[in-house]
Amino acid sequence: MIYETIEELMIKAQAAEGKTFGEIDTTGRIKNLRSKGTLGNIIEESYFGYEINSVSKPDFENLGVELKVTPFKKNKNGTYSAKERLVLNIIDYMNEFKLTFETSSFMSKAAKMLIMLYQYKPDVEINDYQIFKAFLNEFSEEDLAVMRRDWETVVTKISNGEAHLISEADTMYLSASTKGANKLSVRPQPYSSLMAKQRAFSLKASYMTGLIRKYLTPEHMESFSKKGELQAKSLEEILNERFKPHYGKRVDRLCTEVGIKYNPSNKSMIPHLMARLLGVKKNDINDIEEFSKANIKFKTVGREPNDSIREHMSFKKVDFETVLDEDWEESELFQLFAEQKYLFLVFRYTESYKPKVKGIPYFEGIKLWNMPQQTIEGELYDLWMQLRKVVGEGVELIPKGKRVFNNLPGPSFNGVSHVRPKASNGKDKTLLPDGQWITKQSYWLDREYIQKILGDE
C-alpha cells in the first residue's frame, strides 16, 4: 500500500497502539522468531503491507520516512529507558567519507523516522508484547548540530585510515556501533590496508532514553545549554565555559555560593554542586539532558599538592557469576568504557593524604574523556582475559596476618586497569564460581593512568 501523506501514514501507525504483535502477525512469522529484527518485520509485512527489504532508501520512500520498531523498559523507580541502541545502517567506509552530512547514509535513513515503541517485559510472551506508542521523529536543530559533529568525528577517522580505531565512546549522540556476528565481521577501509570492524550508525541507547521519556512521560530533563548554543559550540566547549569561572575556589565556598550544605560525607554533594554551577536545578548532573543523551558519567579525581593523583579510580563491582559466560563485547567491562564518556572533575588538596585528615579541596578543572579504542582492545581486553583465566582456574586466596590476598590482576598488572577490593568491610563478600567467598571486587583505573589522561605525562 502507498501512503500518500505523512498524516495518512500516522493515522495508520497510531491505530496500532494497544495491539499485540500476535494480533498483528498474519504470516506466522512470530512463531519462528530468531532475531530481534523479526518484530520490525512483522510490522512492515503484516501491518503496513510491504515486502521486507534491506535497501538503503527509507521504508516509505515517497514520504522520506524510515520505520523503526524498538523496545523500551520500565525501571524500578518508575522511569522509562531504552532497552537498546537504535541501529540504522551499515557504514560503507569506502564511500561515506566522500559524502556531506546532509547527503550521508545516516541522514538518508534517519531524517524522518516513524518510531513504534513496544514495552519489553522479560516475563511476557513475545506475541503478547504491545505497540505502546507511535510517533514521527524529526531531530531538533540542537541535536542535529551534535550529530553532525559526531558524524564528522567518525568520517575523520575513516579519512585518516583509522576506521579500525573508531569507538562508540568517541561521539555524543550518534555512534558507530559494532555490527556483525563476531570479530571476523570486518570491512576494507580507504587509506589503510588494515581491515576494520563492521559498524553501523546508531542512536545511542542513552539518546533513545531521552527521546522515549519525551513521548511517554510529561517529565522533561533539564538542559544547561542555551537555545541554539549547541549549534555553535561543542558540549565540551560549553562545559569549560560554565565551569571555568569557578576554578581555584575551595569546595566549601562553592557550596555557600550556590546555597547547599557542605558535607563531604554526603556522596550526592559533589554532583549537586556541579549541577548548580551549570545553572540547573537538578540535584544530580546525571539527570541533566545533555549528559543523559550522550551517556556521560562523572568521576571525581583528587590531586595531591605535588600533582600526583591521590587514589586509583573505582568503577563497577565485578560480577563473578557472569564473567566466565559473557562475550567480550557484551561484557560489563567492555561496556564501561567502549560506549561511555566520563567527565572528570578534578580537585586539588593543599595537604598530602592522611587517612584521618580529609582536608577541603579546591576545584581545579574538568576533563571530558573516553578510552581510546587501542587501549580498549589492548590493555582492557588483556585485563578481561586474565580475570577470566584466574577465575576459571580458581582464585588463590592467600591469608597473611589479618588480611587475605589473591592472584587476581592487581594494580601492577598493565599500567591501565586492574581488579581490587571495594567493600564496606572485610565481611562484605561475594561467592566465586568455585564456591569460595571473596571480598567484593571492583574494576579500577590505575592512578598513574589517570595522570596520563590529564596530560601530566
Side-chain angles (χ1 to χ4, degrees):
M1 178 175 177
I2 300 295
Y3 297 89
E4 299 294 342
T5 65
I6 288 178
E7 290 74 17
E8 183 183 355
L9 176 63
M10 292 309 300
I11 289 171
K12 174 69 174 177
Q14 289 166 354
E17 294 177 357
K19 295 182 183 294
T20 67
F21 283 92
E23 292 170 336
I24 292 171
D25 182 29
T26 60
T27 64
R29 184 181 293 277
I30 202 166
K31 295 178 183 178
N32 300 305
L33 188 65
R34 292 288 182 271
S35 68
K36 292 180 290 186
T38 303
L39 292 179
N41 292 342
I42 289 170
I43 298 298
E44 295 174 6
E45 193 174 39
S46 294
Y47 194 71
F48 287 108
Y50 65 85
E51 292 183 5
I52 298 167
N53 62 72
S54 57
V55 298
S56 59
K57 296 176 181 178
D59 294 312
F60 303 98
E61 186 178 352
N62 64 312
L63 300 175
V65 175
E66 176 75 2
L67 171 66
K68 286 295 178 183
V69 180
T70 190
F72 69 93
K73 58 186 178 181
K74 190 171 185 178
N75 303 314
K76 291 180 180 179
N77 62 3
T79 61
Y80 295 117
S81 63
K83 184 177 179 293
E84 58 198 32
R85 64 176 68 88
L86 187 66
V87 179
L88 298 163
N89 63 284
I90 297 292
I91 302 172
D92 181 354
Y93 299 131
M94 304 304 291
N95 287 296
E96 189 71 26
F97 73 100
K98 301 174 184 176
L99 306 174
T100 64
F101 178 67
E102 287 75 17
T103 62
S104 66
S105 60
F106 162 68
M107 284 300 288
S108 69
K109 276 283 190 183
K112 291 181 184 178
M113 288 188 292
L114 166 54
I115 296 178
M116 301 182 76
L117 300 176
Y118 66 92
Q119 186 173 356
Y120 168 79
K121 296 180 179 180
D123 54 346
V124 172
E125 293 291 331
I126 291 176
N127 60 301
D128 290 328
Y129 284 172
Q130 288 183 314
I131 297 297
F132 202 87
K133 184 77 174 177
F135 60 91
L136 184 73
N137 181 73
E138 295 184 75
F139 300 115
S140 68
E141 290 300 318
E142 286 84 358
D143 285 2
L144 275 178
V146 176
M147 291 175 188
R148 177 191 293 274
R149 283 190 282 269
D150 289 342
W151 180 84
E152 289 171 349
T153 296
V154 173
V155 167
T156 296
K157 283 199 169 181
I158 296 172
S159 299
N160 290 340
E162 297 176 340
H164 57 291
L165 301 181
I166 293 171
S167 168
E168 287 191 65
D170 288 338
T171 52
M172 297 292 182
Y173 298 170
L174 176 66
S175 72
S177 61
T178 54
K179 180 71 172 173
N182 52 49
K183 288 186 176 181
L184 299 178
S185 298
V186 293
R187 300 174 72 95
Q189 60 169 314
Y191 310 119
S192 174
S193 60
L194 295 174
M195 299 294 283
K197 285 183 181 179
Q198 181 166 274
R199 292 181 178 272
F201 281 122
S202 307
L203 295 176
K204 291 188 176 185
S206 50
Y207 180 83
M208 289 302 299
T209 291
L211 194 62
I212 287 167
R213 289 178 181 175
K214 174 182 175 182
Y215 283 95
L216 295 189
T217 66
E219 177 185 353
H220 291 279
M221 306 192 85
E222 193 172 355
S223 172
F224 69 80
S225 61
K226 300 173 184 176
K227 186 171 179 59
E229 193 171 19
L230 277 169
Q231 294 170 248
K233 302 172 185 175
S234 70
L235 187 60
E236 187 168 13
E237 289 172 330
I238 298 171
L239 285 171
N240 276 306
E241 287 180 5
R242 292 286 195 283
F243 283 128
K244 193 172 183 179
H246 307 291
Y247 293 166
K249 295 181 181 179
R250 211 168 72 180
V251 173
D252 58 341
R253 292 172 183 166
L254 285 174
C255 288
T256 300
E257 286 182 17
V258 300
I260 65 174
K261 183 179 179 181
Y262 174 72
N263 180 5
S265 62
N266 182 357
K267 292 183 179 180
S268 66
M269 182 193 73
I270 292 298
H272 190 176
L273 171 62
M274 294 299 115
R276 288 292 187 273
L277 294 181
L278 285 173
V280 299
K281 297 178 181 178
K282 292 290 183 182
N283 289 336
D284 189 336
I285 59 176
N286 292 322
D287 290 332
I288 296 172
E289 182 177 1
E290 291 88 350
F291 286 12
S292 177
K293 284 182 177 179
N295 200 18
I296 297 172
K297 304 296 182 185
F298 86 94
K299 302 293 287 186
T300 59
V301 179
R303 277 190 185 277
E304 296 285 15
N306 66 355
D307 285 345
S308 64
I309 303 302
R310 176 165 282 202
E311 298 173 304
H312 300 301
M313 183 180 288
S314 65
F315 291 83
K316 188 176 181 179
K317 282 187 169 59
V318 178
D319 183 353
F320 288 103
E321 290 184 2
T322 63
V323 73
L324 293 178
D325 299 323
E326 61 192 8
D327 294 326
W328 167 233
E329 292 192 357
E330 299 298 326
S331 70
E332 57 185 6
L333 181 60
F334 180 87
Q335 291 174 8
L336 273 174
F337 296 103
E339 301 177 7
Q340 199 155 282
K341 282 185 178 289
Y342 291 94
L343 178 66
F344 292 162
L345 307 170
V346 185
F347 299 91
R348 181 180 291 275
Y349 291 82
T350 56
E351 295 183 9
S352 297
Y353 177 73
K354 296 176 183 178
K356 294 183 180 180
V357 180
K358 296 292 183 182
I360 302 176
Y362 290 77
F363 182 32
E364 185 171 82
I366 65 168
K367 174 77 172 182
L368 191 61
W369 172 84
N370 62 273
M371 184 176 282
Q373 189 67 16
Q374 306 100 302
T375 308
I376 291 171
E377 294 183 355
E379 290 90 342
L380 199 69
Y381 179 74
D382 291 344
L383 174 69
W384 181 74
M385 287 295 290
Q386 181 64 16
L387 174 63
R388 283 163 56 89
K389 180 178 183 292
V390 172
V391 173
E393 293 175 350
V395 179
E396 295 179 19
L397 301 179
I398 310 158
K400 288 186 180 180
K402 295 182 179 180
R403 301 180 64 186
V404 178
F405 294 84
N406 61 63
N407 64 331
L408 293 169
S412 61
F413 178 63
N414 65 10
V416 170
S417 54
H418 63 273
V419 172
R420 64 191 291 257
K422 186 180 183 185
S424 54
N425 54 56
K427 296 180 181 179
D428 190 9
K429 296 179 180 291
T430 189
L431 187 65
L432 291 166
D434 62 6
Q436 299 184 92
W437 288 88
I438 189 173
T439 303
K440 289 181 178 177
Q441 308 283 312
S442 287
Y443 298 107
W444 298 72
L445 289 183
D446 297 6
R447 56 188 172 190
E448 295 80 8
Y449 182 57
I450 302 297
Q451 194 103 29
K452 292 178 181 178
I453 292 170
L454 296 181
D456 295 341
E457 294 184 15

